[in-house]
Amino acid sequence: MLGTMLASLLAVVIVPPALQLGSPFQDHMVLQQHSNPAIWGTGTPDAKVKVEASWGGSAEAVVNRAGRWMARLRTPAAGGPFTVTVSGDGKVTLSDVLVGEVWLCSGQSNMEMTVQKGYPPPLPNQEQEIASANYPQIRMLNVEKAMTLTPQASCNGTWQVCSPSTVGSFSAAGYFFAREIHQRLKVPVGMIHSSWGGTPVEYWMSEGGIRAIPDMGSKLESYRGLLRQYDEAMARRQADLAEKVKLTDSWASPDLDDSSWSKLSVPPQPGVQASSWVSTATSGIAPTSTSTTLIEAAP
C-alpha cells in the first residue's frame, strides 16, 4: 500500500519536460541561406527529435541526459515563407519562416538608438521613413536586456515583421543596414539586435575570455574586490540608517499616536493635500535624541 502511494506521488511530481525550442526559434524568424544552422531546445532525456522543413530539409537529434538537444538543418537558397515542424515528446510548428541573410546587431547606444526615438531626436525624415517601412521580408529579433554573471540558455524577445507599425522599435542602424542589404540582394534579412548603451566590451565577454587577456585577470579580481566592498558598505549603511531612524511598520498604522510630534505649516500647494514626516536622524549625523516633525499643508 505504502509502495503504491509513493509510486503514485512520484508519478505526479516527476513530470518529464515537454519538447521546447530555444528562444530564437519562433514564427517569423529568418534562417541563414545555404548553411547548416543549429536548431536546439529541451525535452525528455533519450527522446528522439526530428526537425522537418517545408522546403524538404530534415534533421534528427536525441535529447541528452541534461534534457538538451541540437540538430543542424540544411537550408536552401533565399526564399519563403516556409514552415518548420519539430516533433518528439511533443510537436511545435513554426510558420512564416524565411531563409535569407542573418546578422547580429550589437554594441552601445549608437546601435541601441531606435527609429522612433533617434539620437538626437528626431531622425532625418523620420515620419517619412516610418511611413514607408513596408518591408515584410525584413525581420528583427529584439533581445530584452538582462544582466547575469553566467552564460544563459535562453533570452526574451520576439521576431517582428518590418512595417510602419513595428519599425519604430527597431534599431535604427540595424534597420537601415538591413534595408540596404535587402534592396541590393533582393533576399530576406533577419537582424538579431542585442545592444546596451554605455557597456564596455568586457561586459560581453565570458570570465574565461577575460582571463585569457594579459593583465585582465588581476583587474577582474580587483573589480570583484570593489564589488564586495560596495556590498559591505551598503549593508553597514542600511543597518546604521535603520538604527537611527527606527523605522517600523507601525509608522504606517492609522492608529499611530502623533500627538507628540511638533507641527510646521507650509505654503498651500494647489490641488495637494498631504502630510509627511521628517526625522533629524536622517541627516547623516547621529543625533543625541531623535525628534520628528509633522509637516502639514496649510489650508
Side-chain angles (χ1 to χ4, degrees):
M1 180 65 178
L2 179 59
T4 303
M5 292 176 62
L6 289 175
S8 300
L9 180 60
L10 290 174
V12 172
V13 175
I14 303 176
V15 179
L19 176 73
Q20 292 187 350
L21 297 181
S23 306
F25 308 110
Q26 310 169 12
D27 294 341
H28 316 303
M29 70 176 180
V30 183
L31 296 175
Q32 178 63 39
Q33 65 174 332
H34 297 306
S35 66
N36 293 284
I39 311 292
W40 68 84
T42 58
T44 305
D46 298 324
K48 294 183 179 180
V49 177
K50 186 171 185 179
V51 183
E52 299 175 286
S54 61
W55 62 76
S58 64
E60 295 183 354
V62 176
V63 183
N64 65 20
R65 293 185 178 182
R68 299 172 183 171
W69 59 269
M70 185 184 75
R72 290 194 174 273
L73 180 65
R74 183 66 184 173
T75 57
F82 300 107
T83 60
V84 175
T85 300
V86 182
S87 56
D89 55 336
K91 186 175 182 180
V92 179
T93 298
L94 306 178
S95 61
D96 190 31
V97 175
L98 299 182
V99 175
E101 292 297 308
V102 180
W103 291 79
L104 172 64
C105 307
S106 190
Q108 299 182 330
S109 55
N110 286 341
M111 185 62 73
E112 187 177 25
M113 176 187 69
T114 64
V115 174
Q116 180 65 50
K117 293 183 177 180
Y119 186 79
L123 290 175
N125 304 317
Q126 183 183 65
E127 293 185 2
Q128 179 182 350
E129 292 288 0
I130 292 176
S132 62
N134 288 300
Y135 296 99
Q137 287 197 329
I138 294 177
R139 281 87 186 277
M140 183 169 288
L141 171 62
N142 281 314
V143 179
E144 295 182 12
K145 293 179 178 179
M147 292 191 298
T148 176
L149 295 177
T150 57
Q152 300 297 293
S154 62
C155 63
N156 293 322
T158 304
W159 281 98
Q160 291 185 307
V161 179
C162 181
S163 72
S165 63
T166 61
V167 75
S169 65
F170 282 24
S171 159
Y175 165 67
F176 289 116
F177 175 80
R179 189 178 71 178
E180 185 75 12
I181 296 295
H182 175 64
Q183 291 176 337
R184 288 192 182 192
L185 301 182
K186 310 299 182 185
V187 299
V189 180
M191 313 299 292
I192 300 176
H193 174 220
S194 179
S195 65
W196 198 320
T199 52
V201 67
E202 291 85 357
Y203 287 12
W204 297 87
M205 298 172 63
S206 67
E207 180 176 345
I210 293 177
R211 290 188 180 278
I213 302 174
D215 300 328
M216 287 302 296
S218 60
K219 291 182 179 180
L220 181 62
E221 291 305 319
S222 175
Y223 176 69
R224 283 183 167 172
L226 290 174
L227 284 179
R228 286 193 295 269
Q229 293 177 26
Y230 173 80
D231 291 339
E232 292 169 358
M234 287 299 296
R236 289 194 300 269
R237 182 180 182 278
Q238 293 295 333
D240 186 54
L241 184 62
E243 179 64 25
K244 290 177 179 178
V245 182
K246 299 293 186 182
L247 290 178
T248 65
D249 293 338
S250 63
W251 285 39
S253 172
D255 300 324
L256 176 67
D257 181 10
D258 58 8
S259 59
S260 62
W261 292 19
S262 58
K263 294 185 178 182
L264 174 67
S265 295
V266 297
Q269 300 291 326
V272 177
Q273 294 182 353
S275 298
S276 61
W277 57 266
V278 177
S279 172
T280 58
T282 61
S283 64
I285 302 176
T288 55
S289 63
T290 302
S291 61
T292 310
T293 301
L294 180 65
I295 303 177
E296 294 184 333

